[in-house]
Amino acid sequence: MIVSSLLRNKFESHEDYVQQLVEENCLSSLNMFNWLIWFLCLAVIVTNIPLVNSRNSCDYSKKVIVISRGRSGSTYLTEVLARNILGTALNEHQFGEILGTKSEQMAAKKDPQEIITRHLCSNDEHNNPYRGFKWKPYIWSDKYIRLLRFVAERKIPVVHNTRNPIDTFLSGLKHRNHTSGKVPAHCLADDKECIAIALGAQRVHVDTHVLLGNLNDTIVETLMTQKLLNKLGVHHLNITYEEMIDPARKMDLWHRVFKFFEPRKRWVITDLMVASQWIPTSSSLLKDKIENYEEVKSALKDTPFELFLH
């Protein structure tokens, strides 16, 4: 899996493009927009990055890490994991977060391994051994490569979640730039005011140049993340947001997720187990969400990104 289940069937035809894309991003490291990719390329090439040892003796097999970009379904995913794997209610769920959306958080000169270890190995009031962490993969510098090595060597289970990058882009645009006021990040099913605001903000005008650049960066980032997970031997599971919400696939998806964490348990998945208190607040059709849909469709025509139209 690369970006979504759709890619598994169609992206192979653009394999040469993907390789070229990765190489170009590695070689264009002096470009201010690609300096993060430069760090990643360097880290992938250099295999002897030292691992900082941890003296913590906690049971890492009972920890959960979710690697996911924002606006990709990670809130729903962590909600279900908190309820069924971590054994906690949502209002007291045990998911910390590394690399939030604020630039100052992303640029903080803190040791992520220390942060994540302290959180994962702390005990809650019920002495529950399961703890979770949500990791937004916006930065791949040497300290985060070391952290991933730490995760791999301790066999901490990782769920790598992705979403159709056009939908991710539109969701981010909707919640950041809507001119009528702040659009809530998520809406409870019974919050009519929140739902009305979100639905009213779902149609956006898309700058095609910005979209193309964002799709390029997202795919490179996802390819690099997947390459690192495989290269470092991280025990991980790839899933997509589309699988989580598709009535025809969701039960099979959640069964795979639960078996990933507790393979010996005989799981019987019910709707209640995978229900969410949050409600979707946008159409599933791009033409309902993009004001200039035909312009966007034309801009993506004959590019690898055309397959993300739906």
Side-chain angles (χ1 to χ4, degrees), residues 216-239:
N216 179 88
D217 292 344
T218 299
I219 289 179
V220 169
E221 176 191 281
T222 304
L223 288 168
M224 293 297 189
T225 301
Q226 190 60 57
K227 183 175 182 179
L228 281 174
L229 290 171
N230 292 330
K231 183 180 181 64
L232 298 178
V234 176
H235 178 48
H236 70 282
L237 175 70
N238 297 309
I239 69 172

mmCIF file of all heavy atoms in Angstrom, residues 216-239:
data_model
loop_
_atom_site.group_PDB
_atom_site.id
_atom_site.type_symbol
_atom_site.label_atom_id
_atom_site.label_comp_id
_atom_site.label_asym_id
_atom_site.label_seq_id
_atom_site.Cartn_x
_atom_site.Cartn_y
_atom_site.Cartn_z
ATOM 1 N N ASN A 216 1.939 16.569 -4.815
ATOM 2 C CA ASN A 216 3.312 16.126 -5.008
ATOM 3 C C ASN A 216 3.985 15.878 -3.659
ATOM 4 O O ASN A 216 4.575 14.823 -3.409
ATOM 5 C CB ASN A 216 4.082 17.172 -5.804
ATOM 6 C CG ASN A 216 5.539 16.793 -6.016
ATOM 7 O OD1 ASN A 216 5.870 16.119 -6.974
ATOM 8 N ND2 ASN A 216 6.414 17.235 -5.116
ATOM 9 N N ASP A 217 3.882 16.858 -2.753
ATOM 10 C CA ASP A 217 4.534 16.753 -1.452
ATOM 11 C C ASP A 217 3.943 15.614 -0.624
ATOM 12 O O ASP A 217 4.672 14.883 0.060
ATOM 13 C CB ASP A 217 4.402 18.066 -0.677
ATOM 14 C CG ASP A 217 5.189 19.202 -1.316
ATOM 15 O OD1 ASP A 217 6.065 18.909 -2.162
ATOM 16 O OD2 ASP A 217 4.930 20.370 -0.977
ATOM 17 N N THR A 218 2.623 15.470 -0.683
ATOM 18 C CA THR A 218 1.960 14.435 0.105
ATOM 19 C C THR A 218 2.375 13.041 -0.347
ATOM 20 O O THR A 218 2.661 12.163 0.476
ATOM 21 C CB THR A 218 0.428 14.570 0.000
ATOM 22 O OG1 THR A 218 0.029 15.848 0.504
ATOM 23 C CG2 THR A 218 -0.267 13.477 0.816
ATOM 24 N N ILE A 219 2.428 12.829 -1.653
ATOM 25 C CA ILE A 219 2.800 11.512 -2.161
ATOM 26 C C ILE A 219 4.256 11.192 -1.834
ATOM 27 O O ILE A 219 4.584 10.083 -1.409
ATOM 28 C CB ILE A 219 2.551 11.430 -3.680
ATOM 29 C CG1 ILE A 219 1.049 11.397 -3.943
ATOM 30 C CG2 ILE A 219 3.199 10.180 -4.276
ATOM 31 C CD1 ILE A 219 0.673 11.350 -5.403
ATOM 32 N N VAL A 220 5.140 12.177 -2.006
ATOM 33 C CA VAL A 220 6.549 11.957 -1.662
ATOM 34 C C VAL A 220 6.680 11.633 -0.179
ATOM 35 O O VAL A 220 7.391 10.700 0.215
ATOM 36 C CB VAL A 220 7.403 13.190 -2.028
ATOM 37 C CG1 VAL A 220 8.795 13.067 -1.439
ATOM 38 C CG2 VAL A 220 7.487 13.338 -3.538
ATOM 39 N N GLU A 221 5.994 12.396 0.656
ATOM 40 C CA GLU A 221 6.049 12.168 2.096
ATOM 41 C C GLU A 221 5.556 10.774 2.453
ATOM 42 O O GLU A 221 6.161 10.071 3.272
ATOM 43 C CB GLU A 221 5.196 13.218 2.815
ATOM 44 C CG GLU A 221 5.101 13.024 4.314
ATOM 45 C CD GLU A 221 4.044 13.925 4.920
ATOM 46 O OE1 GLU A 221 4.323 15.117 5.119
ATOM 47 O OE2 GLU A 221 2.925 13.433 5.181
ATOM 48 N N THR A 222 4.464 10.357 1.823
ATOM 49 C CA THR A 222 3.902 9.044 2.117
ATOM 50 C C THR A 222 4.821 7.929 1.633
ATOM 51 O O THR A 222 5.013 6.916 2.320
ATOM 52 C CB THR A 222 2.511 8.903 1.468
ATOM 53 O OG1 THR A 222 1.672 9.972 1.911
ATOM 54 C CG2 THR A 222 1.876 7.572 1.840
ATOM 55 N N LEU A 223 5.390 8.098 0.447
ATOM 56 C CA LEU A 223 6.343 7.114 -0.066
ATOM 57 C C LEU A 223 7.558 6.994 0.847
ATOM 58 O O LEU A 223 8.039 5.886 1.136
ATOM 59 C CB LEU A 223 6.791 7.504 -1.475
ATOM 60 C CG LEU A 223 5.772 7.327 -2.602
ATOM 61 C CD1 LEU A 223 6.266 8.019 -3.867
ATOM 62 C CD2 LEU A 223 5.512 5.857 -2.857
ATOM 63 N N MET A 224 8.046 8.124 1.313
ATOM 64 C CA MET A 224 9.210 8.122 2.189
ATOM 65 C C MET A 224 8.879 7.460 3.525
ATOM 66 O O MET A 224 9.678 6.692 4.064
ATOM 67 C CB MET A 224 9.690 9.556 2.429
ATOM 68 C CG MET A 224 10.255 10.239 1.202
ATOM 69 S SD MET A 224 11.751 9.409 0.578
ATOM 70 C CE MET A 224 12.283 10.593 -0.666
ATOM 71 N N THR A 225 7.713 7.771 4.077
ATOM 72 C CA THR A 225 7.294 7.151 5.336
ATOM 73 C C THR A 225 7.213 5.647 5.191
ATOM 74 O O THR A 225 7.735 4.889 6.021
ATOM 75 C CB THR A 225 5.922 7.701 5.777
ATOM 76 O OG1 THR A 225 6.003 9.119 5.945
ATOM 77 C CG2 THR A 225 5.490 7.073 7.096
ATOM 78 N N GLN A 226 6.579 5.196 4.106
ATOM 79 C CA GLN A 226 6.441 3.761 3.882
ATOM 80 C C GLN A 226 7.799 3.102 3.677
ATOM 81 O O GLN A 226 8.047 1.992 4.169
ATOM 82 C CB GLN A 226 5.539 3.511 2.666
ATOM 83 C CG GLN A 226 5.132 2.061 2.486
ATOM 84 C CD GLN A 226 4.355 1.546 3.677
ATOM 85 O OE1 GLN A 226 3.328 2.091 4.046
ATOM 86 N NE2 GLN A 226 4.860 0.492 4.299
ATOM 87 N N LYS A 227 8.684 3.787 2.961
ATOM 88 C CA LYS A 227 10.014 3.237 2.723
ATOM 89 C C LYS A 227 10.774 3.076 4.035
ATOM 90 O O LYS A 227 11.447 2.062 4.265
ATOM 91 C CB LYS A 227 10.789 4.150 1.774
ATOM 92 C CG LYS A 227 12.176 3.623 1.409
ATOM 93 C CD LYS A 227 12.839 4.503 0.369
ATOM 94 C CE LYS A 227 14.205 3.947 -0.030
ATOM 95 N NZ LYS A 227 14.867 4.778 -1.072
ATOM 96 N N LEU A 228 10.657 4.054 4.914
ATOM 97 C CA LEU A 228 11.346 3.977 6.203
ATOM 98 C C LEU A 228 10.766 2.873 7.077
ATOM 99 O O LEU A 228 11.512 2.139 7.740
ATOM 100 C CB LEU A 228 11.260 5.319 6.931
ATOM 101 C CG LEU A 228 12.237 6.397 6.467
ATOM 102 C CD1 LEU A 228 11.939 7.718 7.162
ATOM 103 C CD2 LEU A 228 13.674 5.974 6.753
ATOM 104 N N LEU A 229 9.455 2.746 7.104
ATOM 105 C CA LEU A 229 8.836 1.692 7.896
ATOM 106 C C LEU A 229 9.333 0.313 7.443
ATOM 107 O O LEU A 229 9.639 -0.551 8.270
ATOM 108 C CB LEU A 229 7.309 1.767 7.763
ATOM 109 C CG LEU A 229 6.619 2.969 8.428
ATOM 110 C CD1 LEU A 229 5.145 3.016 8.024
ATOM 111 C CD2 LEU A 229 6.753 2.916 9.938
ATOM 112 N N ASN A 230 9.424 0.125 6.132
ATOM 113 C CA ASN A 230 9.899 -1.153 5.591
ATOM 114 C C ASN A 230 11.397 -1.333 5.818
ATOM 115 O O ASN A 230 11.850 -2.405 6.220
ATOM 116 C CB ASN A 230 9.577 -1.240 4.096
ATOM 117 C CG ASN A 230 8.086 -1.345 3.827
ATOM 118 O OD1 ASN A 230 7.336 -1.874 4.632
ATOM 119 N ND2 ASN A 230 7.649 -0.831 2.685
ATOM 120 N N LYS A 231 12.164 -0.288 5.538
ATOM 121 C CA LYS A 231 13.627 -0.371 5.618
ATOM 122 C C LYS A 231 14.110 -0.657 7.041
ATOM 123 O O LYS A 231 15.038 -1.432 7.257
ATOM 124 C CB LYS A 231 14.256 0.928 5.122
ATOM 125 C CG LYS A 231 15.792 0.932 5.100
ATOM 126 C CD LYS A 231 16.320 2.256 4.588
ATOM 127 C CE LYS A 231 17.844 2.271 4.545
ATOM 128 N NZ LYS A 231 18.392 1.275 3.601
ATOM 129 N N LEU A 232 13.455 -0.024 8.016
ATOM 130 C CA LEU A 232 13.874 -0.175 9.404
ATOM 131 C C LEU A 232 13.208 -1.362 10.088
ATOM 132 O O LEU A 232 13.490 -1.651 11.246
ATOM 133 C CB LEU A 232 13.568 1.106 10.184
ATOM 134 C CG LEU A 232 14.295 2.362 9.692
ATOM 135 C CD1 LEU A 232 13.885 3.581 10.510
ATOM 136 C CD2 LEU A 232 15.809 2.173 9.752
ATOM 137 N N GLY A 233 12.321 -2.052 9.379
ATOM 138 C CA GLY A 233 11.698 -3.235 9.944
ATOM 139 C C GLY A 233 10.673 -2.941 11.016
ATOM 140 O O GLY A 233 10.524 -3.732 11.970
ATOM 141 N N VAL A 234 9.965 -1.832 10.886
ATOM 142 C CA VAL A 234 8.948 -1.479 11.875
ATOM 143 C C VAL A 234 7.747 -2.415 11.727
ATOM 144 O O VAL A 234 7.265 -2.661 10.609
ATOM 145 C CB VAL A 234 8.493 -0.013 11.688
ATOM 146 C CG1 VAL A 234 7.357 0.325 12.650
ATOM 147 C CG2 VAL A 234 9.673 0.933 11.894
ATOM 148 N N HIS A 235 7.271 -2.925 12.841
ATOM 149 C CA HIS A 235 6.072 -3.769 12.846
ATOM 150 C C HIS A 235 4.865 -2.861 12.636
ATOM 151 O O HIS A 235 4.461 -2.122 13.534
ATOM 152 C CB HIS A 235 5.961 -4.494 14.191
ATOM 153 C CG HIS A 235 4.748 -5.356 14.340
ATOM 154 N ND1 HIS A 235 4.352 -6.257 13.370
ATOM 155 C CD2 HIS A 235 3.821 -5.458 15.346
ATOM 156 C CE1 HIS A 235 3.256 -6.883 13.769
ATOM 157 N NE2 HIS A 235 2.913 -6.412 14.956
ATOM 158 N N HIS A 236 4.316 -2.879 11.413
ATOM 159 C CA HIS A 236 3.275 -1.900 11.099
ATOM 160 C C HIS A 236 2.162 -2.487 10.245
ATOM 161 O O HIS A 236 2.312 -3.536 9.618
ATOM 162 C CB HIS A 236 3.881 -0.691 10.384
ATOM 163 C CG HIS A 236 4.360 -0.968 8.993
ATOM 164 N ND1 HIS A 236 5.555 -1.611 8.730
ATOM 165 C CD2 HIS A 236 3.808 -0.682 7.781
ATOM 166 C CE1 HIS A 236 5.726 -1.714 7.424
ATOM 167 N NE2 HIS A 236 4.680 -1.172 6.820
ATOM 168 N N LEU A 237 1.052 -1.770 10.233
ATOM 169 C CA LEU A 237 -0.106 -2.117 9.434
ATOM 170 C C LEU A 237 -0.531 -0.890 8.651
ATOM 171 O O LEU A 237 -0.665 0.203 9.216
ATOM 172 C CB LEU A 237 -1.262 -2.579 10.337
ATOM 173 C CG LEU A 237 -2.605 -2.883 9.652
ATOM 174 C CD1 LEU A 237 -2.483 -4.147 8.805
ATOM 175 C CD2 LEU A 237 -3.709 -3.042 10.701
ATOM 176 N N ASN A 238 -0.748 -1.050 7.336
ATOM 177 C CA ASN A 238 -1.198 0.054 6.492
ATOM 178 C C ASN A 238 -2.715 0.001 6.338
ATOM 179 O O ASN A 238 -3.275 -1.037 5.982
ATOM 180 C CB ASN A 238 -0.556 -0.039 5.099
ATOM 181 C CG ASN A 238 0.943 0.100 5.151
ATOM 182 O OD1 ASN A 238 1.465 1.027 5.747
ATOM 183 N ND2 ASN A 238 1.645 -0.831 4.533
ATOM 184 N N ILE A 239 -3.370 1.119 6.598
ATOM 185 C CA ILE A 239 -4.805 1.190 6.390
ATOM 186 C C ILE A 239 -5.140 2.529 5.738
ATOM 187 O O ILE A 239 -4.300 3.430 5.675
ATOM 188 C CB ILE A 239 -5.602 1.044 7.705
ATOM 189 C CG1 ILE A 239 -5.393 2.278 8.601
ATOM 190 C CG2 ILE A 239 -5.210 -0.219 8.438
ATOM 191 C CD1 ILE A 239 -6.305 2.295 9.817
#
